[in-house]
Amino acid sequence: MIFTNKQLSNYADVLVWAMEKARRGGKFKKYDQILVRYDNAALPLAQAVYERLLQKKYLPTARTTMPEELQRSFYTLADEKQLKHISAGEAAFQESLNGLIALHAPQDLTALKSVDPARIGTAAVARKSLREILDKTEQAGLFSWTLCNYPTEEQAAKAGLTLKQYAAQIAKACFLNDKNPLQKWEEVMAQITEIGHWLNSLKIHTLHVQSQNMDFEILLGEKRKFISGGGNNIPSFEIFTSPDWRGTKGVYFADLSSYRTGNYVKAVRLEFKKGRVVKATAEAGQDYLRKMLAMDRGASQIGEFSLTDRRFSKIDKFMADILFDENFGGKYGNCHVAVGSSYADTYDGDMSKLDKKLKEKLGYNDSSLHWDLINTENKSVHATLKNGKKVLIYEKGQFKY
């Protein structure tokens, strides 16, 4: 077994807790509908989660993610109508959901390498309407989700680790070996939330990020707040916001590699002017990078900026999985930006009034893409406040709180 029975049980407890914690509205109720979406390799964890949901009197539905082999067949052989097809009843099913727990366990990270990224983009754009349904119910406080990773030989190999080492990183990061993992998560979340409150109290206008390979500035924007201490993603140590994309400028550099839809990308350098990428290069995967940034208009604009404090995250290895890599702790913590869609829950106001028109007015980015690009260099982050004062908020992997 990859995990012991106790670790699996702890993992299931943490994931259900995280989904419930992420709900930014009313609490979950008996017989709420929960989707457990899992890759085949994650079946042991899926079973543990499914049983926990039944014990809590939810209505769980289990769905396997399409295996990589079938995905390759779909993207290779489907015509345009097939690429854009959405199954009958899918929209109604999405509308019925109150929660989602997704278990990621890929067995071939490069299965889609030979597929034209434009075809993947066509399918993603077509299914964007389904994601918007969940965005709407999440904004209304009726839906929440969490995502995790179950170790596979493929991920371990791509990360340069043994399966045992890879699983140990997950167990360490998610506190699965702790006597009381939920209590540990509550303690960590409380500390991260306190830092988030501090950031929001500063009334930040812009953020300036500098490292050896990066000189980057973002405009926070009006009616924005930092999100911290939520349950979206396990593990999750990041403090993030969705800035006004129109104020992005300078050079952003991602030194941590990533695998996305079968493609390996390394050393991404993005140059921004007036909010949009004007130049994109990479040591590996440059053609794929540029095609993704051209997926739709919002793909070349940012939807998220995030910082992780090394004191909270115990992840100190490259994991070949964006979920873990975007929470990298190591020596200097990390920052990451996501090109593509923004997060509506960073709106500091009445969420029910945040419609498409207001999002556009405030500079919330809209795209079928959301791709996190991670920098683990030693960096400084200075905030220029709305009163003109400059404050160092992050240095050497730690918030200056």
Side-chain angles (χ1 to χ4, degrees):
M1 291 181 62
I2 296 174
F3 289 129
T4 66
N5 288 334
K6 180 61 175 175
Q7 287 174 323
L8 274 178
S9 178
N10 285 345
Y11 213 170
D13 285 338
V14 167
L15 290 170
V16 174
W17 166 86
M19 178 193 67
E20 294 172 339
K21 186 80 171 179
R23 185 82 165 259
R24 294 185 173 93
K27 293 183 178 180
F28 277 85
K29 304 186 297 295
K30 183 187 283 190
Y31 304 126
D32 272 351
Q33 297 193 64
I34 314 297
L35 173 62
V36 181
R37 190 177 66 216
Y38 65 98
D39 291 334
N40 284 327
L43 179 59
L45 181 56
Q47 182 178 357
V49 169
Y50 189 82
E51 290 175 353
R52 196 70 80 253
L53 293 170
L54 287 171
Q55 290 164 354
K56 299 198 73 168
K57 299 301 180 183
Y58 293 132
L59 296 175
T61 297
R63 279 187 176 181
T64 55
T65 307
M66 185 186 294
E68 290 94 337
E69 296 85 353
L70 294 186
Q71 291 183 47
R72 183 170 56 232
S73 297
F74 173 69
Y75 289 122
T76 301
L77 300 175
D79 60 26
E80 187 165 351
K81 184 173 182 178
Q82 290 171 317
L83 284 172
K84 294 180 177 179
H85 176 70
I86 295 175
S87 299
E90 188 63 26
F93 176 70
Q94 299 292 324
E95 289 171 351
S96 74
L97 290 177
N98 304 108
L100 164 67
I101 298 176
L103 315 182
H104 184 59
Q107 299 193 65
D108 188 348
L109 287 172
T110 58
L112 304 182
K113 185 177 181 180
S114 61
V115 174
D116 181 357
R119 293 175 63 79
I120 298 174
T122 296
V125 171
R127 297 185 68 82
K128 183 170 176 283
S129 61
L130 297 178
R131 196 191 71 208
E132 288 173 343
I133 291 171
L134 298 181
D135 288 344
K136 185 177 180 180
T137 52
E138 185 176 17
Q139 282 183 225
L142 301 174
F143 172 81
S144 62
W145 55 274
T146 196
L147 168 69
C148 79
N149 179 301
Y150 188 83
T152 62
E153 290 279 5
E154 168 73 347
Q155 293 178 106
K158 291 293 192 292
L161 303 172
T162 66
L163 182 59
K164 184 177 180 180
Q165 290 171 328
Y166 196 91
Q169 279 281 308
I170 292 178
K172 180 172 66 171
C174 299
F175 308 124
L176 302 185
N177 297 323
D178 276 53
K179 185 176 181 181
N180 190 334
L182 298 188
Q183 180 179 326
K184 178 64 176 180
W185 272 112
E186 289 284 3
E187 291 171 356
V188 169
M189 288 295 108
Q191 292 174 289
I192 294 173
T193 298
E194 189 173 337
I195 294 175
H197 290 330
W198 167 68
L199 289 174
N200 288 327
S201 73
L202 294 177
K203 307 298 181 185
I204 295 170
H205 178 60
T206 59
L207 292 172
H208 186 195
V209 186
Q210 293 176 292
S211 70
Q212 181 179 348
N213 293 292
M214 184 164 53
D215 192 344
F216 183 67
E217 185 174 302
I218 64 169
L219 171 67
L220 194 62
E222 295 301 316
K223 303 292 287 184
R224 295 303 204 277
K225 65 182 177 182
F226 286 88
I227 298 293
S228 55
N232 292 142
N233 299 344
I234 288 295
S236 182
F237 306 105
E238 58 178 314
I239 299 178
F240 68 92
T241 190
S242 284
D244 184 336
W245 69 264
R246 297 166 295 190
T248 311
K249 60 183 180 181
V251 173
Y252 182 80
F253 180 72
D255 65 305
L256 213 59
S257 305
S258 65
Y259 286 88
R260 182 181 175 85
T261 57
N263 289 266
Y264 174 68
V265 182
K266 178 182 178 181
V268 171
R269 184 183 184 275
L270 303 177
E271 183 178 343
F272 289 83
K273 286 185 180 179
K274 296 181 179 180
R276 307 197 79 234
V277 176
V278 295
K279 186 177 181 180
T281 60
E283 285 185 20
Q286 181 171 281
D287 183 59
Y288 173 78
L289 169 68
R290 291 175 175 174
K291 286 181 177 179
M292 287 294 98
L293 295 175
M295 179 184 294
D296 55 39
R297 179 169 177 79
S300 64
Q301 302 160 180
I302 71 168
E304 179 190 8
F305 175 78
S306 172
L307 288 163
T308 294
D309 191 310
R310 68 182 182 89
R311 291 172 294 182
F312 304 119
S313 173
K314 305 305 178 185
I315 305 166
D316 55 10
K317 305 288 186 185
F318 170 63
M319 296 289 281
D321 179 86
I322 287 178
L323 168 62
F324 275 75
D325 294 332
E326 72 175 359
N327 284 284
F328 187 87
K331 188 175 181 180
Y332 296 120
N334 87 80
C335 78
H336 72 259
V337 301
V339 285
S341 61
S342 57
Y343 289 121
D345 55 359
T346 63
Y347 175 62
D348 191 17
D350 184 352
M351 293 288 289
S352 66
K353 296 180 180 179
L354 187 62
D355 56 18
K356 191 171 184 178
K357 185 176 180 181
L358 182 55
K359 285 182 181 179
E360 185 175 349
K361 180 181 178 181
L362 293 173
Y364 276 90
N365 197 27
D366 182 40
S367 174
S368 54
L369 179 71
H370 185 92
W371 184 5
D372 298 298
L373 299 166
I374 302 140
N375 179 286
T376 67
E377 296 177 305
N378 186 16
K379 67 186 66 65
S380 64
V381 183
H382 287 84
T384 299
L385 310 185
K386 291 182 178 179
N387 62 11
K389 183 180 179 182
K390 291 188 177 182
V391 179
L392 176 66
I393 65 166
Y394 187 94
E395 185 181 42
K396 296 180 180 178
Q398 299 182 191
F399 285 99
K400 305 298 287 184
Y401 173 67

